Amino acid sequence: MQLQWQSVSILVICFPLLIEDSTSFSFPSLQSFTNVFEQLGQLMSNSPKSTEKTEPSKPKRLKRQSTDIGDESSKPFEIRSTSLPMMPDKQTINTRYMPTLGNGYLGTTVYGDSIYLNGLFNGVGAESHRAKIPAILMTRVNLTTPDFERRATRKFTLNAQDGYFMESIKCEYADIEHKIYVHQKYVRLFIVDIYVKMNPATLGGGTVTLNYPSFSSSEDIVFDQPRQYMGNWQIRGTTKTAEKGASPQTVSIFYMLPLEQISISGSNTEKNYTLIMAIDKQEANARQEFDAAQRVIQALPPAKGNYDLFMEHVNEWRKTWARGRIEVEGADNQLTKTVRFAQFYILSSLPAESPSLPPVFSEPFYGCGRTSIGKGSLKKDYQGHVMWDNEFYIMPAILPFHPGMAKNQIRYRSALMAAASANAALFGGQGVHFPWESAYSGADVSPDSCVKDDPQCNWRKIFITAGVSWAIRQYYSLTRDRDLMINPVFRGCDLSRDIAKFLANQAVYNPKNARYDMTGITGPDDSHPNRNNNAFTLCAASLAIHWARYFSCLCQRNEREEVPDEYVQKAMYLNLPYDNVKRLHLQFQGFDAEKDRPIRQADTIMLNYPLNWNYSYDIMRNDLEFYETITDAKTPAMTWSWFTVGWKWTKEQNKMRSYFLKSYQDYLIQPFKVWTEFNERSMADQDVGNVNFLPGMGAFLQSIIYGFAGFRIRPDKLEVNNPIPPPGANRLILYNFQYLQSNLTFIIEADKTTIQPIAMSTIYPLILKRNLTNAVEESINTGANIVINEASNGFFIYTSVLETCEHPRDYIYMPWGYSPWINAAVITKSMNCVSLIVLSNALSIFTN
């Protein structure tokens, strides 16, 4: 079916004092338009350049980007530096390590040459990537002479609390503030503010020039001739290539010529300029936010409007932080700011929670790519594709504080169920199977690197589909949001059922061991493709089938028709690779530690977390000890975060601390706390790795929430196990943790945990029960703080309003002693054969 073309409108206005009489303008030809930007680009030849690295041969770096670029700010939400990441020539900004700004709808890299829009992709198949919209107003302020520049001081500030980047310049004749932000309320706006104040002691003043990225043509868009819009200029274009099953998308740019220079002299000692781009796929929406911004900007007295527009943005960011966040106290600046800025970069890539004009309901949020909405061009940064990170690494990090954002991430999957159904059928599957990488249409846009040897190579990664079910489970268990079930936009019931159908049909009965095999699959460690019975995949699939059976009951459907007993039988008798002598899981059937080393990234150790799989602590410890010795040192950051969680749960304090430090210290680029995918110490690392790596940040934050804080989200309760602050911190605070429509703040210290009920739901009254033999149920009421001095024993929070459906079973039948209720390694030493038989029979009855 042919899809309708979509339009993207970009409105650009410059206020005030750009021109005195707009009626004197004549609109240029396309050639004039491109010539102007070529000339503006030439202005940059005498100043530090700001370019993205596009040349195949990049200057060599002998070591990792310097980590000693100073941060002068003591504020936990602010970075202030006198230096920027530079290329080896010391003249060109390395935009690879510059911060990204965004609101989930628009995104950009500071001093980069492009802006990206939610859902705007160009290219077919593996070539699909975020379409580059020219960042026409991405300015750099330059002083007029080298002498002025040499004597000036520049400072660069990234403020996470208020969501902006600012360059402050002090020179002989003026103080200049140059601010860049993507508006959090008017989500279609990219804004540049410039404030200039003349130095009273100066004689004669001076001039500053504004430099912009050169622009003559676009890699992704073919432009038409310009046309007029309300005294501004407009140019339209169309993306060059559409994804399979989609249509090209049109782009409209409304603009005025950017301001080229500012003269500072005479009695006019202060000047304010605001430059705005408004971008949308619907021209009417762009115009509406353009008009709204214009009304704000034109307010009197002069400069008030500029400030008001900025403060509307700031207020929305502060509301976002007030809704929920993680903070650590008593730690060094490195850890404190890493926690805050990891949240900032993730939140910047997810839909703003209270936009002035929400995107049309038919336009979903197109998922969270690995490197934010501010990146994703061709052959870089995974091209903006959505992968399993959307559910496993990014969503859980924000879920307890911003469940609405998490719900939007789930909607991306439900909106593309038709494409997932077609993908499942490619190789004989039923139900839905989500591609390894997807973008706008939901079609498979995974790289072709392995397809020649194995056409199914990417299709074999079926754990990504199980992960979507896991995300639904986590979201619903935390919120009991019925809208996820009944709203045809989210289709939570259908999605869970169809995922279970696909996974169950991958399991084939093996009469040799009376178990079900999943053959020819690839787990998270994709350096070992096309293997049988990957342990992580089997456990994730079992959980997905058990969940679908439970959820279909909650959806008031016939659960045995939706999820037949055959599926549940398969979920309980999957052939999970497990060495009953060594008491550890094998990554896949036939795994050999000598032959199959190294492990490229975390795989089997993820049974503990994020899957919350039920198995004994000694097995958990054995898995950790076994796989830590064969894991590649060049693994992505997420691997060390999962080791951190595991060692915390097994109470190995030294290893917990070591892996926690390793999980972030080796992956941060200063000064702006930009995460790299790998530990970048060589040019080769920079060639293959990606930056602003959200999965690394998300796993790091999860190690705090679900590791140190000890939280587990269960279908029937919130479980908290031995909560402690992370190493180096005195207190860990989870502000406005949202559970069953109540808001709770948890203050976690070494010797106690305090629960502050902020706002309690009347629909789901909450109950606290401490993990002690004589514990009684305690009601949680607004304003009545609860101090738990014996928090190391753990506690549970649940509601008195019970679901009427049988809870998911969430297990695979395994040998005796695998159960989490018994540490068999200790007990069996003191038991005779008769006792073992009796206990085994009792356990069998209990589990049935």
Side-chain angles (χ1 to χ4, degrees):
M1 182 178 70
Q2 183 98 12
L3 298 179
Q4 292 186 347
W5 283 29
Q6 302 181 42
S7 63
V8 178
S9 305
I10 302 179
L11 310 176
V12 181
I13 58 172
C14 305
F15 287 94
L17 304 176
L18 298 187
I19 52 171
E20 294 184 359
D21 184 5
S22 62
T23 60
S24 65
F25 273 106
S26 61
F27 287 83
S29 66
L30 175 60
Q31 186 60 47
S32 300
F33 171 78
T34 56
N35 288 343
V36 166
F37 284 98
E38 287 174 348
Q39 294 168 8
L40 289 173
Q42 294 172 2
L43 292 174
M44 301 179 68
S45 60
N46 295 324
S47 64
K49 300 176 182 178
S50 172
T51 62
E52 293 193 34
K53 296 172 57 181
T54 57
E55 301 81 2
S57 57
K58 305 177 179 70
K60 292 184 177 180
R61 268 192 321 134
L62 298 179
K63 60 181 181 179
R64 178 191 175 108
Q65 178 73 28
S66 174
T67 58
D68 59 1
I69 300 178
D71 177 5
E72 298 179 351
S73 177
S74 60
K75 298 176 181 178
F77 53 80
E78 181 182 81
I79 295 168
R80 186 170 64 247
S81 175
T82 58
S83 303
L84 294 177
M86 303 299 289
M87 298 294 287
D89 62 12
K90 305 299 183 183
Q91 297 295 314
T92 307
I93 297 173
N94 189 349
T95 54
R96 176 180 178 82
Y97 298 140
M98 290 297 288
T100 56
L101 302 172
N103 56 27
Y105 200 68
L106 298 180
T108 189
T109 298
V110 172
Y111 297 149
D113 62 1
S114 303
I115 295 175
Y116 299 98
L117 174 63
N118 173 49
L120 185 68
F121 285 82
N122 181 56
V124 65
E127 298 291 304
S128 175
H129 58 281
R130 293 196 190 278
K132 298 176 70 171
I133 299 170
I136 297 171
L137 299 179
M138 186 65 77
T139 57
R140 285 301 316 277
V141 175
N142 189 44
L143 305 182
T144 49
T145 69
D147 287 341
F148 280 144
E149 187 66 53
R150 187 171 56 254
R151 292 191 292 268
T153 60
R154 291 177 183 256
K155 293 189 178 181
F156 309 92
T157 301
L158 179 63
N159 189 302
Q161 176 176 274
D162 297 339
Y164 67 87
F165 178 90
M166 183 171 68
E167 181 173 357
S168 303
I169 306 170
K170 288 184 176 293
C171 64
E172 296 175 10
Y173 50 85
D175 292 342
I176 304 165
E177 290 183 352
H178 170 215
K179 197 177 298 171
I180 300 171
Y181 59 102
V182 178
H183 211 285
Q184 192 74 358
K185 179 179 179 181
Y186 303 109
V187 294
R188 296 157 181 84
L189 302 186
F190 168 76
I191 300 176
V192 174
D193 277 342
I194 300 173
Y195 169 73
V196 180
K197 183 177 181 180
M198 183 175 177
N199 186 342
T202 189
L203 297 176
T207 302
V208 297
T209 58
L210 304 179
N211 303 320
Y212 304 85
S214 59
F215 168 69
S216 57
S217 62
S218 170
E219 302 170 12
D220 301 318
I221 301 166
V222 177
F223 285 103
D224 300 329
Q225 290 294 321
R227 61 190 179 92
Q228 184 174 8
Y229 172 75
M230 293 180 62
N232 300 307
W233 302 345
Q234 177 185 8
I235 187 169
R236 294 176 61 88
T238 305
T239 53
K240 294 180 179 179
T241 311
E243 288 182 18
K244 183 179 179 180
S247 299
Q249 301 178 69
T250 58
V251 180
S252 298
I253 303 176
F254 293 77
Y255 65 92
M256 294 178 67
L257 275 182
L259 183 66
E260 295 185 39
Q261 66 179 27
I262 301 172
S263 178
I264 305 168
S265 61
S267 59
N268 192 0
T269 58
E270 291 188 48
K271 296 183 179 181
N272 288 275
Y273 302 88
T274 296
L275 316 178
I276 302 174
M277 297 176 66
I279 308 172
D280 195 275
K281 291 182 178 180
Q282 302 294 327
E283 184 174 324
N285 292 342
R287 182 183 299 110
Q288 184 171 335
E289 292 210 346
F290 163 75
D291 292 341
Q294 187 175 17
R295 287 192 294 270
V296 175
I297 288 292
Q298 292 176 335
L300 295 175
K304 180 181 184 299
N306 310 64
Y307 175 79
D308 288 347
L309 185 61
F310 173 64
M311 287 308 299
E312 287 191 77
H313 162 76
V314 167
N315 290 336
E316 287 305 314
W317 259 114
R318 293 185 179 181
K319 289 177 185 177
T320 297
W321 290 116
R323 288 187 185 100
R325 65 188 185 277
I326 308 167
E327 285 190 7
V328 294
E329 294 183 356
D332 59 25
N333 268 346
Q334 176 82 317
L335 176 57
T336 302
K337 294 191 179 188
T338 299
V339 170
R340 177 58 72 97
F341 280 88
Q343 293 173 85
F344 170 73
Y345 285 125
I346 290 176
L347 292 173
S348 298
S349 299
L350 295 170
E353 293 176 291
S354 300
S356 173
L357 179 64
V360 291
F361 201 63
S362 60
E363 181 75 2
F365 170 64
Y366 284 94
C368 195
R370 282 187 158 183
T371 56
S372 85
I373 197 172
K375 292 181 178 289
S377 58
L378 184 63
K379 306 299 182 184
K380 295 181 179 180
D381 305 311
Y382 292 98
Q383 301 181 172
H385 296 168
V386 177
M387 303 172 71
W388 70 308
D389 316 271
N390 187 65
E391 287 80 24
F392 274 118
Y393 289 111
I394 299 169
M395 192 198 87
I398 56 91
L399 172 60
F401 312 105
H402 306 279
M405 291 184 176
K407 191 176 181 181
N408 272 305
Q409 291 178 271
I410 294 173
R411 187 191 171 189
Y412 172 72
R413 299 300 188 181
S414 64
L416 300 177
M417 281 183 66
S421 178
N423 185 57
L426 281 177
F427 298 102
Q430 301 178 43
V432 295
H433 176 34
F434 292 94
W436 176 234
E437 298 186 25
S438 58
Y440 172 71
S441 67
D444 188 354
V445 293
S446 306
D448 299 329
S449 55
C450 63
V451 173
K452 291 181 181 179
D453 299 325
D454 178 11
Q456 296 187 49
C457 65
N458 291 311
W459 196 90
R460 298 182 188 279
K461 301 173 183 177
I462 64 176
F463 63 87
I464 186 174
T465 296
V468 176
S469 175
W470 184 82
I472 294 172
R473 167 196 286 254
Q474 294 296 95
Y475 175 81
Y476 183 81
S477 298
L478 192 78
T479 65
R480 290 200 187 178
D481 180 3
R482 305 284 173 176
D483 185 62
L484 188 75
M485 300 177 178
I486 63 177
N487 192 326
V489 169
F490 296 101
R491 300 183 64 185
C493 301
D494 294 340
L495 191 51
S496 297
R497 176 201 61 207
D498 289 357
I499 289 172
K501 184 176 184 180
F502 171 77
L503 294 170
N505 279 279
Q506 301 308 303
V508 178
Y509 185 70
N510 183 346
K512 291 182 179 180
N513 53 22
R515 293 274 177 163
Y516 293 87
D517 290 332
M518 286 188 173
T519 59
I521 58 177
T522 302
D525 172 32
D526 56 7
S527 64
H528 296 86
N530 194 8
R531 304 302 174 98
N532 295 340
N533 295 323
N534 171 265
F536 177 83
T537 303
L538 264 60
C539 292
S542 178
L543 291 172
I545 294 170
H546 286 307
W547 171 258
R549 180 65 169 259
Y550 169 64
F551 204 47
S552 63
C553 175
L554 295 181
C555 294
Q556 298 182 357
R557 298 179 177 183
N558 187 322
E559 61 263 35
R560 293 188 175 218
E561 291 182 1
E562 294 278 297
V563 183
D565 290 346
E566 176 193 358
Y567 293 4
V568 178
Q569 176 81 358
K570 290 183 176 183
M572 292 191 297
Y573 285 96
L574 289 169
N575 190 13
L576 182 62
Y578 172 71
D579 188 325
N580 198 29
V581 176
K582 296 180 179 178
R583 292 184 58 77
L584 59 84
H585 295 95
L586 301 179
Q587 183 165 308
F588 49 81
Q589 186 175 322
F591 181 84
D592 186 308
E594 295 303 320
K595 182 182 66 176
D596 294 315
R597 69 171 60 205
I599 303 302
R600 183 176 178 270
Q601 69 176 51
D603 195 310
T604 310
I605 66 165
M606 294 169 65
L607 299 187
N608 167 41
Y609 186 81
L611 290 189
N612 300 332
W613 189 247
N614 290 317
Y615 59 113
S616 294
Y617 277 97
D618 65 304
I619 303 175
M620 188 186 302
R621 183 180 295 104
N622 292 341
D623 284 352
L624 293 165
E625 290 177 345
F626 180 69
Y627 288 103
E628 73 174 344
T629 62
I630 58 175
T631 298
D632 193 339
K634 294 295 295 182
T635 186
M638 307 91 75
T639 295
W640 308 130
S641 292
W642 300 150
F643 271 108
T644 300
V645 176
W647 290 124
K648 191 271 180 181
W649 275 73
T650 54
K651 300 182 179 180
E652 296 280 353
Q653 299 294 322
N654 291 335
K655 287 189 175 183
M656 173 196 73
R657 177 186 299 273
S658 174
Y659 280 110
F660 178 65
L661 297 177
K662 189 179 184 67
S663 72
Y664 70 95
Q665 288 184 347
D666 289 351
Y667 298 88
L668 283 179
I669 297 294
Q670 308 297 345
F672 300 117
K673 302 293 184 289
V674 172
W675 284 63
T676 57
E677 182 175 9
F678 302 107
N679 185 350
E680 297 199 354
R681 295 188 180 276
S682 68
M683 200 63 234
D685 294 336
Q686 193 170 148
D687 287 339
V688 300
N690 297 276
V691 291
N692 204 39
F693 194 59
L694 300 186
M697 303 181 205
F700 165 75
L701 295 173
Q702 287 187 65
S703 75
I704 294 175
I705 303 168
Y706 308 103
F708 296 109
F711 282 75
R712 287 289 191 271
I713 302 170
R714 307 288 189 187
D716 59 335
K717 60 180 172 289
L718 188 64
E719 174 186 319
V720 185
N721 181 289
N722 185 27
I724 59 173
N730 297 330
R731 299 209 302 177
L732 167 61
I733 307 176
L734 307 181
Y735 284 99
N736 276 346
F737 191 108
Q738 299 184 38
Y739 180 59
L740 300 187
Q741 303 175 30
S742 291
N743 288 3
L744 306 169
T745 290
F746 295 89
I747 302 174
I748 298 169
E749 301 172 81
D751 57 346
K752 65 181 179 180
T753 293
T754 303
I755 303 174
Q756 295 180 342
I758 306 301
M760 304 307 296
S761 168
T762 56
I763 301 174
Y764 299 111
L766 294 186
I767 296 170
L768 168 73
K769 189 168 185 179
R770 306 168 197 241
N771 190 23
L772 296 171
T773 304
N774 59 348
V776 297
E777 293 185 338
E778 305 172 51
S779 295
I780 303 177
N781 300 308
T782 303
N785 292 356
I786 300 174
V787 179
I788 305 175
N789 292 312
E790 65 282 4
S792 60
N793 295 317
F795 55 91
F796 308 95
I797 297 175
Y798 50 93
T799 181
S800 56
V801 181
L802 303 178
E803 300 281 18
T804 58
C805 299
E806 179 188 357
H807 288 151
R809 297 184 181 183
D810 290 349
Y811 60 81
I812 295 173
Y813 279 115
M814 298 297 289
W816 184 88
Y818 184 89
S819 165
W821 302 297
I822 300 169
N823 188 344
V826 175
I827 294 176
T828 54
K829 293 180 181 179
S830 60
M831 298 184 67
N832 58 33
C833 293
V834 175
S835 300
L836 287 174
I837 293 171
V838 172
L839 184 57
S840 179
N841 290 334
L843 182 62
S844 176
I845 294 171
F846 177 73
T847 55
N848 279 298

